Amino acid sequence: MVFKADGERAQGRRWMVIVTGGALGAEGFFRADLSSAEACVEAALEHLAKQQISPFT
């Protein structure tokens, strides 16, 4: 999986998270455009939890 936060985007949604990898199954991809890096991390972790995937194990 790859995590990327991009602070060079338009105001209001300056950060983007992309999570990709075979562990995500058929969808294999998650992206969110949010207002903070913290919100990006939270969204990515919530998505992984819904997929029953832990980045910590």
Side-chain angles (χ1 to χ4, degrees), residues 21-40:
L24 293 176
E27 291 181 23
F29 184 81
F30 171 76
R31 174 184 170 169
D33 295 293
L34 300 165
S35 61
S36 70
E38 293 83 4
C40 286

Side-chain angles (χ1 to χ4, degrees), residues 1-2 6 12 29-30 35-36 39 42 47 51 53:
M1 288 187 276
V2 176
D6 184 354
F29 184 81
F30 171 76
S35 61
S36 70
E42 185 176 329
H47 180 76
Q51 301 293 319
I53 299 170

Side-chain angles (χ1 to χ4, degrees), residues 2-57:
V2 176
F3 170 78
K4 176 184 178 188
D6 184 354
E8 299 296 322
R9 300 174 57 85
Q11 286 194 13
R13 293 186 180 258
R14 296 184 59 98
W15 298 90
M16 173 179 57
V17 62
I18 298 173
V19 180
T20 185
L24 293 176
E27 291 181 23
F29 184 81
F30 171 76
R31 174 184 170 169
D33 295 293
L34 300 165
S35 61
S36 70
E38 293 83 4
C40 286
V41 171
E42 185 176 329
L45 291 176
E46 286 176 5
H47 180 76
L48 292 174
K50 287 179 187 176
Q51 301 293 319
Q52 299 182 339
I53 299 170
S54 173
F56 306 111
T57 58

